[in-house]
Amino acid sequence: MADAGGEAATAKDTGRFIADLDDRTPAGIAAAVSRQIRSGALTPGSRLPTVREVARELKVSPATVNQAWRALASAGAIVARGRAGTFVGAPVATRPVTAVGRYQRLHPPSYSAFRIDLSRGTPDPDLLPDLGAALRDLTRDGASDLAADYLGEAVLPELAAKVRADWPFRAERIAVLDGALDAVDRLLTAHIRLGDAVAVEDPCFPPFLDLLAGLGARPVPVRMDESGLLPAELARAVTDHGATALILQPRGQNPTGVSITARRIRELSDILLDTSTLVIEDDHSAGIAAAPLRSLGSRLPRRTVHIRSYSKSHGADLRLAVAGGPADLLDPVVERRMLGAGWTSRLLQRVLLSMLDDAAAIHAVTTARAEYRRRSAELRRALTRRGITVARGDGINLWLPVADENAAMISLAAAGIKAAPGGPFIVGDPPPTDHLRITISPLADADLDWLATELAAATTAVPTYRRIRRT
C-alpha cells in the first residue's frame, strides 16, 4: 500500500508540471520547474517525479527531461541523491555559488612574461588624467570633512547635477556604484530570479555570463552586426524565450567594438515596446568612445537603467560608475546596499567631480579618445596590407578573426604576444570563424609592423592535431 501511495504522489507532482507547461523543450521544462520553485509550489526537499515518469506524462523523450534536470542541477535548483531520487534544492539565498569561471579563463591569475600584453582590455595608464592634481584640488577645497559623514547623501548633489546634464534620457533616480560591473551585479540580483531568461549580446562580456550563472538565470544569445543587436534575434529572445531582461553595451562593445546606430535603437525599442523587459545598458567606454551615445532609454525610459563607467576614461581604481533610471528599478538596489557597503566614497565622488570640471583632465580624456581611435586605425591598416580585414571598432578592442583560436594563441605566444581567447565571449553556437580579442591600448608605433606581421600569421595558424569544434 505504501508503494501505491508513493506512485499516486508522483503522478500528482507530474501533473503539476504539466499544468504550468507550454514549451516541452528542455529549456521550457527547466523554466516550468523553476517557476514552481520560485512560487513555492515546490518547496525545498520536495521529491520530484523520476525522469521516465515526467517523460511519459509529457510525451517527450527521457533525454529531453534529462537535459532539463541537468540544467536545474547546475543552477542548484534540484539535487540528485542516487536511488533516493531527485529533490528540490535549498533556497537561492542559502546555496553556495560556484563560479562558472569565464572571466578566470579570460584572465588566468598567472605571471605574464610576454613582450606585449594585448589581452587585458584596460586603458593606457599614460593617457589617463592626472589624479594627483584632482587630489590636490580636493585638499585645497577643504572637502576632506566628507570622510566623517555617515549619514550624508549617498550621491553628491553636485555630481548628480553634472551627470544629469548630458544623460541620454530623463533619469528619475541617480546612483553611484563601485564600477559598472558592480552596478550590473546589483541590478541583476535585485530583479532577476532563478530560471529567468536574460537576453545578452553574442559575443558577450564574460563576467555578465558568470553573474547570470551565479543567479541560475539563462542567457539567451542575441547575435550582432555592425549596427548592434539583430532585431530578429532580440524578437526571438523575447517571444520564444520570454526574456525578462536585456544586457547590452551601447558603444565600443566588448569584445567587438560595435556601437549601436540610431536606426537600430528604433528597431529594438519597437520590439520591446509592449513587453516588460528590463533594459540594462553598460556604457563602459564612456569618455573614450568616438561614437555618439545612443540609448534605448530615449524611447523606453521607464524600463531602462543606463550605467556610465569612468574606469577607462578617468582610472579603474576610482571604482566609480553612475547608474540612472526609474526609481522603482534603482531604489531596491540603493536600499539593499545600505545594509552593506552603504555608499560609494564621497571623497572619490569629489575626486571624479573635480576631474569632470577640470580643463586639463577634460583635455586628457579628449586626447585619449583620439589616440585610441588612431591606434586602432593604424593597426587595421597594417593588417589590411597583409591581407587581413578587421571590422572597424570603437573603444580599445578589436575582434580579430582567426582560423583556430588555440593555434593562434600559441603562434602569438611564441612571438611574445598575449591575446585574449574568443571562446569565453561566445554564448550560443560557435561561429564559423574563431576570434581573438586584441586590446589596442598598449600599442606603440615602433612595434606596429612587427605586431601586424605576427597577428596576420596567427590568423592562419592551424592546429597540429585534428580539431573537434565545440558543440
Side-chain angles (χ1 to χ4, degrees):
M1 294 297 292
D3 289 343
E7 290 176 2
T10 298
K12 179 181 178 181
D13 285 343
T14 309
R16 184 159 56 194
F17 294 153
I18 294 172
D20 191 31
L21 190 64
D22 297 318
D23 179 1
R24 301 193 180 200
T25 64
I29 296 169
V33 176
S34 176
R35 284 194 297 270
Q36 294 287 350
I37 294 172
R38 295 202 311 273
S39 70
L42 287 173
T43 57
S46 299
R47 185 179 182 276
L48 300 179
T50 67
V51 166
R52 290 192 177 279
E53 288 167 339
V54 176
R56 184 172 59 250
E57 291 296 325
L58 299 182
K59 295 180 174 59
V60 297
S61 72
T64 297
V65 180
N66 257 322
Q67 288 184 56
W69 257 228
R70 283 198 299 270
L72 289 162
S74 68
I78 64 175
V79 179
R81 297 176 184 165
R83 293 185 177 181
T86 302
F87 299 81
V88 175
V92 174
T94 63
R95 281 202 314 267
V97 174
T98 302
V100 173
R102 283 178 180 255
Y103 201 45
Q104 282 81 357
R105 287 169 56 200
L106 191 62
H107 299 295
S110 59
Y111 173 71
S112 175
F114 291 87
R115 174 176 170 181
I116 185 169
D117 189 345
L118 306 180
S119 73
R120 298 179 63 81
T122 56
D124 183 346
D126 293 336
L127 295 178
L128 295 172
D130 182 5
L131 183 60
L135 291 171
R136 289 190 293 273
D137 288 344
L138 186 70
T139 304
R140 281 197 302 269
D141 292 343
S144 57
D145 62 334
L146 290 170
D149 192 351
Y150 282 88
L151 301 176
E153 295 184 69
V155 181
L156 285 181
E158 304 96 318
L159 181 59
K162 184 74 177 179
V163 299
R164 283 184 187 278
D166 62 349
W167 207 251
F169 58 95
R170 185 180 180 276
E172 186 178 11
R173 188 75 75 243
I174 291 289
V176 177
L177 296 140
D178 299 338
L181 198 55
D182 177 52
V184 174
D185 181 16
R186 292 179 182 278
L187 283 162
L188 292 175
T189 300
H191 299 289
I192 300 302
R193 300 293 176 262
L194 177 69
D196 281 355
V198 177
V200 296
E201 299 159 325
D202 190 12
C204 177
F205 186 43
F208 295 162
L209 304 176
D210 288 345
L211 291 174
L212 293 175
L215 292 170
R218 296 185 293 118
V220 179
V222 179
R223 290 177 297 176
M224 309 169 64
D225 63 12
E226 67 279 359
S227 299
L229 295 170
L230 292 169
E233 295 267 322
L234 180 61
R236 176 187 58 81
V238 172
T239 303
D240 296 350
H241 296 274
T244 58
L246 163 66
I247 309 173
L248 76 155
Q249 303 165 83
R251 54 181 171 176
Q253 196 263 355
N254 189 352
T256 64
V258 166
S259 295
I260 198 166
T261 64
R263 177 178 178 179
R264 190 58 53 86
I265 285 287
R266 292 192 296 272
E267 294 170 337
L268 299 178
S269 60
D270 286 346
I271 292 168
L272 298 174
L273 190 61
D274 295 325
T275 73
S276 58
T277 304
L278 163 66
V279 178
I280 300 174
E281 293 180 336
D282 173 19
D283 189 20
H284 67 101
S285 288
I288 65 166
L293 174 59
R294 298 185 175 96
S295 168
L296 284 169
S298 62
R299 294 170 66 91
L300 303 169
R302 297 303 311 165
R303 284 188 280 116
T304 302
V305 176
H306 183 78
I307 302 164
R308 177 181 296 170
S309 171
Y310 294 92
S311 292
K312 292 184 176 67
S313 58
H314 291 78
D317 208 35
L318 284 173
R319 311 305 303 140
L320 289 176
V322 176
D328 62 331
L329 295 178
L330 279 169
D331 281 352
V333 172
V334 174
E335 290 165 6
R336 174 63 185 86
R337 196 172 186 234
M338 290 306 297
L339 300 177
W343 66 92
T344 295
S345 168
R346 289 183 286 271
L347 286 170
L348 293 179
Q349 293 184 49
R350 183 71 69 182
V351 170
L352 175 61
L353 180 62
S354 174
M355 286 195 285
L356 293 177
D357 286 331
D358 180 69
I362 294 170
H363 176 73
V365 173
T366 302
T367 299
R369 180 166 60 247
E371 177 61 13
Y372 290 137
R373 188 178 180 89
R374 186 192 71 82
R375 292 179 190 180
S376 178
E378 290 290 345
L379 180 58
R380 284 187 289 105
R381 278 195 286 267
L383 288 169
T384 298
R385 290 194 294 270
R386 290 160 174 80
I388 306 300
T389 300
V390 181
R392 181 176 178 175
D394 202 355
I396 61 175
N397 297 307
L398 291 178
W399 193 227
L400 180 70
V402 297
D404 182 274
E405 174 187 305
N406 194 53
M409 294 280 289
I410 294 171
S411 173
L412 291 177
I417 302 167
K418 186 177 182 182
F425 296 89
I426 303 303
V427 188
D429 294 332
T433 302
D434 282 357
H435 289 80
L436 303 182
R437 190 195 67 180
I438 303 298
T439 300
I440 54 89
S441 56
L443 294 185
D445 288 345
D447 291 331
L448 188 61
D449 284 341
W450 160 75
L451 189 61
T453 298
E454 295 298 343
L455 288 173
T459 63
T460 58
V462 294
T464 56
Y465 53 85
R466 183 177 180 272
R467 186 184 185 204
I468 300 175
R469 289 193 65 87
R470 303 182 302 273
T471 58

